[in-house]
Amino acid sequence: MDIARHWRLKKHRYALQTENQAEAVLAVVGPSSNGHKPHLEEQVAQPETITGEIYSFATVFEAPEGYQEFAPYPVAMVRLDDGSLITAQLTDVDLDDVEIGMPVEMVTRKLRSTVEDRGMLVYGYKFRPMLRQ
Amino acid sequence: MVDQNDLLIPERAVGIVGYGAYVPRFRLPASEVSRVWTGGNAGLPIKEKSVPGPDEDVATMSVEAARNALSRAGIAPTDIRAVWVGSESHPYAVKPTSTIVAEAIGAVPNTQAADWEFACKAGTEAIVAAMGLVGSGMADYALAIGMDTAQGRPGDALEYTAGAGGAAYIIGPAEEAMAVIEASYSFVTDTPDFWRRAYQKYPEHGNRFTGEPAYFKHIHQAGSALMEATNTTPEDYKFVVVHQPNTKFPQRAAAKLGFQPEQVKTGLLVPEIGNTYSGAAIIGLSAILDEAEPGDRILLVSFGSGAGSDAMALRVTENILTRRDKAPKTQDYVSRRTEIDYATYARYRGKLVMK
């Protein structure tokens, strides 16, 4: 069941948010109210842009089904600032410019369509070179 | 003649508490379109236009602009009570873009969400609605976005200019605003200057009919009426931005309203990114907010085919100085450019038949 699988992962995929983070934010911020609410920084830290650097990378020339329209495209292991290592596609970068140690930031992009032209669009995180150095 | 009663001014003063722009990195020079379709003999309405990458659409572009707006606003995404996305290039024919954006920025589930359509003024339409939602006291914050990945038929005049980009605005209480929206006025008639019928891939337009009876008439009526009803003149404004489908039209429309080129140039982005449709006027506004000083007044007039214009008078506040550097500026996106040729553009925009 493709749709259910993608739906379950949306929080993680759209914003690279873990289950624990999602629950923590909800617990601190709480449900909405009509009264004026203090700014976020007064309650919890504003989620920073998720950044890291390229630990290793490769280029996909023979893409799996659903990804052919993007080939060739770079994929990388990204060492996030918190030390964790994650695998993701790179975007907004020319293949020749990718290098180990390149600072990158998380963006939300289209990953694929479940069925060409008429399927559900699947969105998720990718990394790109830092927009602002 | 219009008077104060025709203006749209909420009981509770409102303004822009956060804003963010987005422009994709690819650029197609207008000379490339001319090379392919006229042997290089066409007059060029702009220098180049922005083109979305194959993994970009109005949803992903809106998410980034909205994140930028949130960074400047400094509010919790869960405090947003409406996520409204204005566009004529929503990724789905049926299924809201706005729910994808709301989910990605963390505004769900206690929020309104809807997609707006009014050709190129869907974004300002959403902003005016947000003014009403916040201004009535129903909500403290509402997110209004104007974003497009515009399409032009290959070889058509629109293909030179149909670009991609836009901006997101969080409307909130005036006391928290980076710019207070002092008044707005909308002017609407039934004018068939541009349309796209159901199931058609490319829009149709009325060629020269898109000028005087549509674009110029509506922008002039809305802009002049707002100034008349607010008892202001062009000299009262530091900046003006009007819908920008090509380089000449906005300059002519602003001049007709009585503005000088100096007041126009900061928000005039169309020569470098093309016509971003629902995003065109409001990304010009974001470029202005990146540069404006407290106390500066700004006149914005959008235009949407069909047809109508929303005019807004804004005044920049001291908050601009402490919050605008919390996110990338509009020029950060404009200057991030990778030039592509017509073949790459054709691939990225799905113009190649694969089966």
Side-chain angles (χ1 to χ4, degrees), chain B residues 256-310:
Chain B
K256 195 175 167 198
L257 282 168
F259 289 90
Q260 301 299 315
E262 194 67 21
Q263 295 164 288
V264 178
K265 70 175 188 185
T266 307
L268 190 67
L269 303 182
V270 63
E272 293 176 280
I273 64 170
N275 178 5
T276 54
Y277 284 54
S278 299
I282 59 177
I283 197 170
L285 177 62
S286 73
I288 289 170
L289 292 172
D290 287 342
E291 302 293 327
E293 296 297 323
D296 286 349
R297 296 173 87 171
I298 304 165
L299 180 72
L300 173 144
V301 190
S302 66
F303 170 74
S305 290
S309 284
D310 300 316

Side-chain angles (χ1 to χ4, degrees), chain A:
Chain A
M1 288 300 291
D2 255 7
I3 294 175
R5 183 163 60 89
H6 295 306
W7 173 74
R8 281 195 195 95
L9 290 170
K10 64 182 187 292
K11 279 246 181 289
H12 173 67
R13 285 223 184 113
Y14 287 1
L16 199 48
Q17 193 177 54
T18 66
E19 287 299 319
N20 288 344
Q21 284 172 326
E23 285 169 14
V25 169
L26 195 64
V28 177
V29 175
S32 65
S33 71
N34 283 333
H36 174 73
K37 300 187 77 174
H39 277 192
L40 178 62
E41 60 261 32
E42 298 164 34
Q43 306 173 45
V44 292
Q46 176 88 5
E48 296 290 330
T49 307
I50 297 173
T51 57
E53 64 174 44
I54 294 177
Y55 177 78
S56 186
F57 68 93
T59 302
V60 176
F61 290 95
E62 295 294 331
E65 188 176 348
Y67 297 89
Q68 289 98 334
E69 66 172 301
F70 307 110
Y73 57 85
V75 293
M77 297 171 77
V78 175
R79 175 77 73 190
L80 300 180
D81 292 345
D82 69 3
S84 52
L85 200 57
I86 189 166
T87 305
Q89 282 187 42
L90 301 177
T91 189
D92 283 359
V93 63
D94 293 338
L95 295 176
D96 292 343
D97 293 339
V98 182
E99 57 186 22
I100 290 171
M102 173 185 270
V104 291
E105 60 190 349
M106 190 276 285
V107 292
T108 305
R109 293 294 172 88
K110 189 167 66 181
L111 298 182
R112 55 181 287 230
S113 167
T114 55
V115 182
E116 194 178 352
D117 289 341
R118 57 187 180 85
M120 153 193 184
L121 297 170
V122 181
Y123 297 92
Y125 57 82
K126 294 186 180 183
F127 285 81
R128 72 164 177 216
M130 302 287 290
L131 185 73
R132 292 199 296 185
Q133 300 302 323

Side-chain angles (χ1 to χ4, degrees), chain B:
Chain B
M1 280 292 289
V2 298
D3 59 32
Q4 279 274 335
N5 293 329
D6 297 311
L7 295 178
L8 299 167
I9 303 176
E11 287 188 1
R12 174 201 200 188
V14 302
I16 295 165
V17 303
Y19 71 93
Y22 185 75
V23 183
R25 77 165 173 138
F26 298 109
R27 300 286 181 277
L28 178 70
S31 57
E32 269 293 282
V33 182
S34 174
R35 177 181 70 82
V36 170
W37 291 104
T38 74
N41 290 308
L44 306 180
I46 58 169
K47 177 176 166 247
E48 59 190 13
K49 69 173 185 176
S50 52
V51 178
D55 63 354
E56 294 188 286
D57 61 22
V58 165
T60 66
M61 293 160 59
S62 295
V63 167
E64 181 153 345
R67 285 178 177 149
N68 288 337
L70 272 168
S71 295
R72 288 196 171 97
I75 64 167
T78 47
D79 282 346
I80 292 172
R81 291 283 86 78
V83 176
W84 289 331
V85 182
S87 181
E88 59 179 75
S89 40
H90 291 288
Y92 289 94
V94 178
K95 189 201 172 302
T97 305
S98 51
T99 53
I100 301 167
V101 176
E103 186 82 50
I105 65 170
V108 294
N110 304 309
T111 184
Q112 284 267 298
D115 294 354
W116 294 67
E117 288 193 25
F118 192 146
C120 295
K121 92 171 183 83
T124 52
E125 192 81 39
I127 290 175
V128 174
M131 288 170 61
L133 195 75
V134 176
S136 69
M138 282 176 68
D140 279 339
Y141 305 105
L143 171 61
I145 298 170
M147 193 68 68
D148 258 303
T149 56
Q151 287 274 13
R153 188 186 307 282
D156 186 84
L158 291 180
E159 193 180 38
Y160 290 84
T161 56
Y169 288 86
I170 297 174
I171 306 302
E175 57 271 21
E176 298 175 31
M178 304 169 80
V180 173
I181 304 174
E182 297 182 314
S184 84
Y185 168 76
S186 295
F187 180 87
V188 168
T189 70
D190 178 17
T191 305
D193 59 314
F194 170 98
W195 61 86
R196 179 165 59 84
R197 296 279 300 277
Y199 308 113
Q200 296 299 303
K201 189 167 184 179
Y202 299 114
E204 305 291 330
H205 58 85
N207 291 306
R208 294 183 67 178
F209 187 74
T210 61
E212 288 301 336
Y215 177 88
F216 290 107
K217 174 184 173 183
H218 290 78
I219 285 188
H220 190 78
Q221 292 287 344
S224 56
L226 181 66
M227 285 193 282
E228 182 184 337
T230 54
N231 201 25
T232 58
T233 65
E235 290 73 34
D236 294 320
Y237 296 91
K238 178 77 178 291
F239 303 100
V240 64
V241 58
V242 302
H243 177 58
Q244 34 193 328
N246 55 44
T247 308
K248 283 184 185 166
F249 272 29
Q251 292 176 310
R252 229 174 90 194
K256 195 175 167 198
L257 282 168
F259 289 90
Q260 301 299 315
E262 194 67 21
Q263 295 164 288
V264 178
K265 70 175 188 185
T266 307
L268 190 67
L269 303 182
V270 63
E272 293 176 280
I273 64 170
N275 178 5
T276 54
Y277 284 54
S278 299
I282 59 177
I283 197 170
L285 177 62
S286 73
I288 289 170
L289 292 172
D290 287 342
E291 302 293 327
E293 296 297 323
D296 286 349
R297 296 173 87 171
I298 304 165
L299 180 72
L300 173 144
V301 190
S302 66
F303 170 74
S305 290
S309 284
D310 300 316
M312 293 177 205
L314 302 101
R315 188 191 296 269
V316 178
T317 76
E318 293 284 339
N319 290 329
I320 200 92
L321 299 176
T322 54
R323 305 222 301 263
R324 71 175 157 204
D325 288 333
K326 291 181 182 293
K329 291 187 172 179
T330 311
Q331 279 300 335
D332 290 331
Y333 289 103
V334 174
S335 59
R336 178 189 71 147
R337 62 179 292 284
T338 301
E339 193 172 312
I340 55 175
D341 59 12
Y342 195 91
T344 306
Y345 160 77
R347 179 185 171 182
Y348 286 176
R349 299 303 287 137
K351 295 177 190 295
L352 301 176
V353 178
M354 304 293 283
K355 61 180 180 184

